[in-house]
Amino acid sequence: MQETAVPSAPPTPPVSLAALLSRDDLGLRQITGPPAGEVTIHGAHTSEMSDPYPYLLGGELLLTAGVHIPEAAGRPGSFDFDGYVARIVAAGGAALGFGVAPVHDTVPAGLVAACEEHGLPLVEVPPRTTFSGVARAVWQLMARARLSELRRITEAQQGLAAAASRPDPVPSVLRRLAGRLEGRAVLYGPEGAEIAAAGREPGDEVRRALAELARFVTGHPSSTATDTVAGTRLAAYALGPGRGFVLGVAAPHRESGDHTIASVAAVLLSLLTGEHQSGTGAARSSALVRLLLGARREEVAPLLGGGEGDGAVTRWYVVHARPDTGAPDAVSASALGAALGSPLVDAADDVVRVLVPAPPRAEDGGGVRPEGDGSVRPEAGAAAPRKPPAGSGPAAQPGWTLGVSAPVAPAEWPAADAQAARALARARATRSALVRHAERPGFADLVPPGEAEAHARALLAPIGGVPALAETLRAWLSLHGSWDRTAVALSVHRNTVRQRIARCAALLGADLDDPDVRMELWFALRHLRG
């Protein structure tokens, strides 16, 4: 039995036989074979050979006037139509176009029967239509398809690039890719687990096959692999050499240009999953080991990527961040760290924490970068800081809400962590992109810390045993008595805020509408430790 050849498709996209039949100027008519919409053509070729097999590449519309058929010379029945059609099918021919002039008046019945038997589309070419006209129409349709494909690829590239610049770059790229291919896009980690996915959920068989294909490319020199399972086209793309990340794609069909689009997504994901190199992984591992074995923070801080100058202790910012939409994932958190200039990122629950080295300290005590509008929003109760030099601290990031601590030495990291948390709560409550902890001292700093703490404990003793009351009072005062903003900052209902503040007023025996009382309570809360 003759084995069917696999067409070697040229770089131009194929066209549908249905598009060719729809050309009124050609007047073509399909006689038999599968529906024209299911038949694709990669070119047109004319041949009067009784065996065209050696001259076909595959995918052609073969045009013939039947000159080689002896039936035209008065010897009916002597031509092997079945063998002729079988050879065309074996060569990968897409369809057969038969011209009814000048040799034949009609399409031979034997040819119709053979095409129907082998499933080869048979098209009648009327006398008024030349084969060159048919070929020209095929190439015109292919050129139009090529232009459309290039436009589609360009739009896809632009969309994927825009998705990669979003706060959640990996999920955004996967969603855009899945939408373009009308299928499923999955990012697999080094251990083969799904890190992120988007698009229509496939069946269990397809899901297992796609995961297996992803494992295949991680263990072989080839960076791509394809397969077809249950009528679904699968593809896997290794993201960078030796890193173990793989992009998997499952789509119900595969159009021309889909591979190019998926390859663009693979390049973007390869960049997004790459480790930020502001400090080496070995140095960070060493720092972690030393911390676990009891070393002081000051000793390991230089290994984490921060520099030291002239013996001065390196200072750091602690940044707390939340995405404006959704929950942060490991890759988007890493991208945020890269944007802030630090690989020291911790993504836990719904908050991402980043430890960012600060630039050398200026003599005037600067180091706070203004907001986009030129203003700086300090914590409540503190004097507004002066406008500092640009570039002296973490900047606002599109799609994120940030709280930034004051620059501190490594020994003060825990305190800075609390500062960043309070700044983030205030930023969310005031709907600001970034809020910084105030650096400049105020009148409260004139009181010795020990005396301030003793006074605070005595004043707040009635509510000291109920942490929720103290925290609610702190947030409420910092937000100028706003019920709604306090509720947002604490993630509770506004009625809960009202009840807690009323309880504080009763226990303290104070009029919380009095600004002097509020000022004294704020002073106490700022100096109350633990």
Side-chain angles (χ1 to χ4, degrees), residues 203-412:
D204 292 340
E205 181 183 4
V206 173
R207 188 187 304 108
R208 288 193 298 268
L210 186 59
E212 182 63 30
L213 198 64
R215 285 191 291 269
F216 175 83
V217 298
T218 58
H220 290 76
S222 175
S223 61
T224 62
T226 59
D227 196 2
T228 301
V229 175
T232 302
R233 304 294 183 89
L234 309 180
Y237 303 82
L239 306 182
R243 296 217 316 268
F245 288 95
V246 177
L247 168 64
V249 177
H253 49 77
R254 190 171 184 84
E255 297 182 3
S256 180
D258 285 353
H259 174 71
T260 302
I261 294 173
S263 297
V264 171
V267 171
L268 292 172
L269 291 172
S270 180
L271 296 174
L272 292 171
T273 54
E275 183 181 17
H276 184 60
Q277 298 297 322
S278 65
T280 66
R284 291 197 298 276
S285 297
S286 176
L288 175 60
V289 170
R290 294 187 191 186
L291 281 173
L292 293 174
L293 294 180
R296 296 168 56 216
R297 298 187 187 94
E298 294 85 346
E299 297 174 6
V300 302
L303 297 174
L304 299 177
E308 292 183 334
D310 300 328
V313 178
T314 305
R315 298 187 308 150
W316 301 76
Y317 292 100
V318 176
V319 178
H320 281 214
R322 288 188 62 169
D324 295 342
T325 58
D329 58 79
V331 179
S332 63
S334 178
L336 173 65
L340 294 174
S342 173
L344 306 174
V345 180
D346 172 41
D349 299 326
D350 56 351
V351 174
V352 176
R353 299 189 299 175
V354 187
L355 193 58
V356 181
R361 191 181 187 90
E363 291 299 327
D364 62 357
V368 179
R369 183 171 176 171
E371 295 279 279
D373 58 1
S375 65
V376 177
R377 299 179 176 86
E379 295 284 76
R386 293 165 293 180
K387 182 185 291 188
S392 57
Q397 300 298 319
W400 292 87
T401 300
L402 271 59
V404 181
S405 74
V408 299
E412 301 174 277

Side-chain angles (χ1 to χ4, degrees), residues 22 51 91 158 169 248 527:
S22 65
D51 182 12
Q158 294 172 346
H527 289 82

Side-chain angles (χ1 to χ4, degrees), residues 7-241:
S8 177
T12 52
V15 296
S16 169
L17 177 60
L20 191 63
L21 296 179
S22 65
R23 292 278 297 259
D24 293 334
D25 57 321
L26 299 177
L28 305 179
R29 179 176 68 92
Q30 184 174 358
I31 299 176
T32 188
E38 301 176 3
V39 180
T40 56
I41 299 172
H42 289 274
H45 177 68
T46 301
S47 174
E48 299 298 341
M49 302 292 294
S50 59
D51 182 12
Y53 182 95
Y55 308 98
L56 298 179
L57 296 175
E60 298 97 341
L61 168 63
L62 177 62
L63 299 170
T64 179
V67 175
H68 57 284
I69 299 178
E71 195 173 72
R75 291 180 288 148
S78 61
F79 186 76
D80 183 10
F81 287 106
D82 186 79
Y84 174 70
V85 172
R87 292 288 282 172
I88 296 174
V89 172
L96 177 63
F98 194 88
V100 295
V103 180
H104 296 265
D105 295 331
T106 60
V107 179
L111 182 59
V112 175
C115 288
E116 187 172 354
E117 174 69 21
H118 290 274
L120 180 67
L122 178 60
V123 175
E124 180 186 83
V125 182
R128 64 181 177 84
T129 302
T130 62
F131 288 171
S132 60
V134 175
R136 182 172 56 186
V138 169
W139 291 113
Q140 287 175 345
L141 290 172
M142 294 179 71
R144 191 179 306 162
R146 179 60 174 169
L147 180 60
S148 176
E149 178 195 65
L150 292 175
R151 185 180 296 113
R152 174 172 173 261
I153 292 175
T154 300
E155 292 174 353
Q157 288 175 333
Q158 294 172 346
L160 290 169
S165 66
R166 290 176 54 86
D168 53 343
V170 170
S172 296
V173 169
L174 293 176
R175 284 195 298 269
R176 187 62 62 94
L177 177 62
R180 282 286 178 179
L181 304 185
E182 299 179 358
R184 181 80 168 172
V186 183
L187 175 64
Y188 295 96
E191 295 79 22
E194 286 192 12
I195 295 179
R200 294 181 293 183
E201 184 74 25
D204 292 340
E205 181 183 4
V206 173
R207 188 187 304 108
R208 288 193 298 268
L210 186 59
E212 182 63 30
L213 198 64
R215 285 191 291 269
F216 175 83
V217 298
T218 58
H220 290 76
S222 175
S223 61
T224 62
T226 59
D227 196 2
T228 301
V229 175
T232 302
R233 304 294 183 89
L234 309 180
Y237 303 82
L239 306 182

